[in-house]
């Protein structure tokens, strides 16, 4: 018997539809590799001293599980969590990732997904250690 998913909870149906859309667009929902060159704990250790609204000038590639998601007009925020519970904020803006990739983010990324981002380490205007993404990748839907 083939499971068509009709008896699944709505949230699971929506997630499966988003996965199918990724696959239809030729995007691997579970890639073998993503561009990661450091960890969330390493970023916290190296740049935790940044003051509010300060830039490091250093680009990193990190990955984690999306624990919080806030999508607004031209700026989106996510909280990524590493395996041991360390978190790092990610900021995606229209001017850095472009309209198409920002819309892709809003349409496909859910809490619980594993995401990789590349971008500069900064401290936000509110003093939250963050990565301002220049690019993002689905690591596991």
């Amino acid at each position: 018997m083939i499971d068509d998913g009709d008896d699944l909870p709505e949230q699971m149906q929506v997630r499966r539809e988003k996965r199918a859309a990724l696959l239809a667009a030729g995007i691997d929902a579970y890639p073998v590799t993503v561009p990661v060159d450091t960890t969330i704990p390493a970023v916290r250790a190296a740049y935790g001293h940044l003051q509010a609204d300060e830039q490091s000038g250093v680009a990193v590639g990190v990955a984690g599980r999306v624990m919080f998601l806030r999508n607004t007009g031209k700026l989106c925020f996510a909280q990524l969590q590493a395996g041991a519970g360390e978190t790092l904020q990610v900021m995606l803006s229209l001017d850095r990732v472009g309209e198409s990739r920002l819309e892709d983010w809003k349409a496909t990324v859910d809490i619980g997904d594993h995401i990789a981002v590349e971008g500069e380490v900064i401290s936000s205007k509110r003093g939250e250690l963050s990565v301002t993404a220049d690019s993002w990748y689905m690591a596991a839907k």
Side-chain angles (χ1 to χ4, degrees):
M1 177 177 209
I2 297 175
D3 179 16
D4 60 9
D6 287 340
D7 60 343
L8 292 175
E10 180 181 3
Q11 183 180 21
M12 289 184 72
Q13 290 177 8
V14 168
R15 291 178 67 85
R16 284 187 177 190
E17 290 168 6
K18 288 180 180 184
R19 178 184 170 275
L22 286 171
L23 296 174
I27 300 170
D28 188 353
Y30 306 98
V32 175
T33 61
V34 289
V36 172
D37 58 23
T38 190
T39 64
I40 291 172
V43 171
R44 286 214 155 276
Y47 303 101
H49 66 279
L50 293 177
Q51 299 298 311
D53 208 19
E54 186 177 356
Q55 299 176 344
S56 71
V58 176
V60 299
V62 295
R65 186 173 198 168
V66 177
M67 302 305 289
F68 171 80
L69 193 59
R70 186 174 73 217
N71 294 332
T72 60
K74 297 179 183 179
L75 186 61
C76 297
F77 296 89
Q79 196 77 25
L80 299 185
Q81 181 175 315
E86 301 91 344
T87 62
L88 182 65
Q89 179 172 271
V90 174
M91 300 180 344
L92 292 97
S93 64
L94 176 66
D95 64 326
R96 292 189 75 128
V97 298
E99 184 175 354
S100 175
R101 289 301 284 158
L102 190 63
E103 290 305 315
D104 288 346
W105 172 274
K106 291 177 183 179
T108 59
V109 175
D110 294 304
I111 291 175
D113 291 348
H114 290 264
I115 302 297
V117 296
E118 292 179 303
E120 183 181 0
V121 179
I122 67 160
S123 180
S124 71
K125 291 179 182 179
R126 294 185 179 180
E128 180 72 27
L129 189 62
S130 308
V131 172
T132 57
D134 292 318
S135 57
W136 69 273
Y137 309 88
M138 181 68 67
K141 184 71 181 149

